[in-house]
Amino acid sequence: RGLGDVYKAAFDVFNKGGKDVCYEFYLMRNNTWERVQAYSRKKYYSFIPFTAGKYKILALVKSFYKKVNYEDYDELSFEVKDI
């Protein structure tokens, strides 16, 4: 890693079924969930972590036509070292 290198964390969501599926992403920082991407058809999220530490990403999934908060979800924990 050289001076000025930037690393990006990227997450893709895959699902089976559903019609006009939408995705919403949350990132846990300092033990608080923060919505980082509102519901859209974009099924990926990426960001540049500027501090080392433990992170969690939460993806909520639902059909565009459903009037519910979410139909499915998944969560991933990861650690960023040596920034």
Side-chain angles (χ1 to χ4, degrees):
R1 163 172 175 186
L3 184 61
D5 287 347
V6 176
Y7 295 94
K8 179 171 79 171
F11 306 89
D12 292 314
V13 177
F14 300 96
N15 69 296
K16 291 182 180 181
K19 183 170 182 160
D20 295 327
V21 178
C22 296
Y23 308 87
E24 184 168 74
F25 292 89
Y26 289 80
L27 183 65
M28 181 177 276
R29 299 180 198 185
N30 301 321
N31 292 322
T32 302
W33 286 111
E34 177 183 336
R35 186 172 70 174
V36 292
Q37 183 174 299
Y39 271 111
S40 74
R41 291 195 172 105
K42 189 172 124 181
K43 62 181 182 177
Y44 63 90
Y45 172 71
S46 62
F47 77 105
I48 298 171
F50 290 105
T51 58
K54 294 181 179 179
Y55 292 82
K56 287 184 183 179
I57 188 90
L58 172 67
L60 302 180
V61 183
K62 71 174 189 167
S63 169
F64 175 79
Y65 303 102
K66 295 280 184 146
K67 301 298 182 204
V68 296
N69 290 330
Y70 64 92
E71 291 181 278
D72 202 0
Y73 71 94
D74 203 358
E75 181 181 309
L76 176 72
S77 299
F78 61 100
E79 186 172 358
V80 175
K81 298 180 181 183
D82 193 30
I83 295 285

